[in-house]
Amino acid sequence: MRSSVFLRNALFCVSACFLLNGCAAPGAPSDSFKPRLDESYSLDAAMEYSDGKTAQLALTRYAAGSWEAEFSEPETLSGVLLRLDGNAVSASYKGLAFTVPKSALPAKTMLCLMTDVLDGLGTTDALSFTAQQDGTHTAEGDAEGGHYILTFADGGELRCFEMPGQPLKITCTNYQPIAQQTEQTTHTETTASSSSEAETTTTTTENEGVSQ
């Protein structure tokens, strides 16, 4: 009898802790969790694909359909920069453009599976998340490439993309949002500079007219 009461009280305390901390119990829906996927961001990615192949790269998203992937490993891809712009894919190495090498095609295909899913998410409010024992939150879905699993850290950052049927696993670290103001600031500075030059030209012309 005492053990039964103790067990009931223990379960009550555990449930109360989750409620007070605003956390979902492992395996339970985490309705309050909000993932962080900014419009533009960068991260480091470690790919495992095609039964044993691996690759390391820096991945940058500028907007929906606009990505860059710069490989550091394997040696055959080190320094290769892939640009994904909608359905178009281009490659360069140290600033020199060239045709996407055959050695990069499998990695490019696997990478596009993830970028297509992330671009297709739209609003993450439609995703249903489940709390895991390690503190992460997962969401699952189906895409053209197969069933996928997204894993996010408790802070909202993307941690992993998996598509078991490929097989494909991309582990993500160092998630960093890219400030949207950079392009606007550059545009403003360029406009201000152009206006200043125009004013200088006008003033010079007027002065020349006075001198004459």
Side-chain angles (χ1 to χ4, degrees):
M1 182 66 179
R2 289 183 178 178
S3 59
S4 177
V5 173
F6 175 80
L7 180 59
R8 184 173 65 251
N9 291 339
L11 291 174
F12 174 79
C13 290
V14 171
S15 300
C17 287
F18 280 112
L19 290 173
L20 290 173
N21 293 329
C23 300
S30 43
D31 298 330
S32 61
F33 174 74
K34 296 295 182 183
R36 180 174 186 177
L37 284 176
D38 298 89
E39 176 67 18
S40 303
Y41 56 86
S42 64
L43 53 81
D44 294 330
M47 293 177 56
E48 301 174 39
Y49 62 103
S50 300
D51 293 326
K53 290 185 178 180
T54 61
Q56 300 278 344
L57 60 137
L59 183 64
T60 303
R61 183 188 195 267
Y62 295 104
S66 180
W67 299 77
E68 279 187 355
E70 185 170 7
F71 290 85
S72 56
E73 294 181 18
E75 187 175 351
T76 53
L77 293 179
S78 181
V80 172
L81 177 68
L82 293 183
R83 289 187 174 88
L84 314 177
D85 188 8
N87 294 324
V89 181
S90 60
S92 63
Y93 178 76
K94 294 184 178 180
L96 300 176
F98 60 94
T99 304
V100 179
K102 290 184 178 180
S103 58
L105 290 177
K108 184 269 296 184
T109 300
M110 295 294 104
L111 189 61
C112 286
L113 292 176
M114 182 177 82
T115 58
D116 286 348
V117 167
L118 294 178
D119 282 339
L121 289 179
T123 172
T124 54
D125 292 339
L127 294 176
S128 177
F129 291 92
T130 301
Q132 304 300 323
Q133 290 184 351
D134 60 358
T136 62
H137 302 262
T138 60
E140 301 186 29
D142 294 292
E144 185 175 347
H147 186 74
Y148 65 84
I149 304 170
L150 290 168
T151 301
F152 292 85
D154 191 49
E157 301 86 0
L158 181 63
R159 281 289 175 260
C160 188
F161 173 86
E162 296 179 79
M163 198 168 270
Q166 286 300 326
L168 170 65
K169 181 178 182 181
I170 302 179
T171 303
C172 306
T173 55
N174 298 327
Y175 179 95
Q176 295 290 336
I178 298 175
Q180 291 291 315
Q181 295 179 348
T182 303
E183 184 176 348
Q184 296 176 357
T185 301
T186 302
H187 176 72
T188 302
E189 290 176 350
T190 302
T191 303
S193 177
S194 299
S195 300
S196 177
E197 290 177 0
E199 291 175 359
T200 302
T201 302
T202 302
T203 302
T204 302
T205 304
E206 291 176 351
N207 290 336
E208 289 177 352
V210 172
S211 299
Q212 294 174 356

